[in-house]
Amino acid sequence: MSVFRFRLNFLIALRKQREEEAAVKLARRLASIAELLETIEATRLKIAEMTEAVKSHAQLGRLTGPLIKLYSDFQANLQKELKKNEELLALSRREEAKERLALTKAVVARQLIEKTKERRQEAFEIEARYEEQKNLEELSTAARIRRLEEMGLNNGDNQTK
């Protein structure tokens, strides 16, 4: 009995490789987004802490002109950093959507070839079963003919004696 061989296994392997590459790329993007979110949250906490520090200095009466200038410069830098990180996050989210789409396409492409393989294997197995059934029927017919001939010869031998 012949064995099923799918000639496009290399294509399945190639598509799996592309799918894995897309998955790794997406995972890196998600890690980058998580890192950006942490940075943004840390920056917001710094701004909140600085605001509280200014309030406490104001309540204690230790708020001077140079200290206000220092706090305002630091807060402006934090706001710039926050804005830059939020823009980077928005860009990363757009890239994430593209990478998710690429991963989905890679998965679909691989599954398409695997379905083709499954269909061809099913057709091969059906054909093999059909051939096996045909062979069994031929053997059965040959055995029946042989038995009939043997019975005919035996009956013929008994009649000639």
Side-chain angles (χ1 to χ4, degrees), residues 33-60:
I33 288 172
E35 187 178 316
L36 273 172
L37 288 171
E38 287 177 14
T39 303
I40 288 170
E41 187 59 32
T43 304
R44 287 182 179 153
L45 282 173
K46 282 181 190 176
I47 291 172
E49 288 172 359
M50 190 181 63
T51 302
E52 288 300 316
V54 169
K55 285 180 183 178
S56 69
H57 280 293
Q59 288 174 348
L60 295 174

Side-chain angles (χ1 to χ4, degrees), residues 101-161:
L101 183 62
L103 177 59
T104 302
K105 285 181 180 179
V107 168
V108 168
R110 176 191 52 83
Q111 288 175 345
L112 182 66
I113 294 297
E114 286 179 346
K115 287 287 184 187
T116 301
K117 179 182 179 179
E118 289 171 8
R119 286 187 193 119
R120 287 187 184 173
Q121 188 169 7
E122 271 182 33
F124 175 82
E125 290 170 357
I126 289 170
E127 183 67 27
R129 283 194 300 268
Y130 173 76
E131 287 295 321
E132 185 177 355
Q133 182 66 31
K134 186 173 143 185
N135 290 339
L136 288 174
E137 287 174 2
E138 288 176 5
L139 286 173
S140 174
T141 303
R144 185 176 212 195
I145 291 171
R146 190 179 67 239
R147 271 184 281 151
L148 288 174
E149 287 175 353
E150 287 175 2
M151 287 176 58
L153 289 178
N154 288 343
N155 289 339
D157 288 343
N158 290 339
Q159 291 173 357
T160 55
K161 289 185 182 178

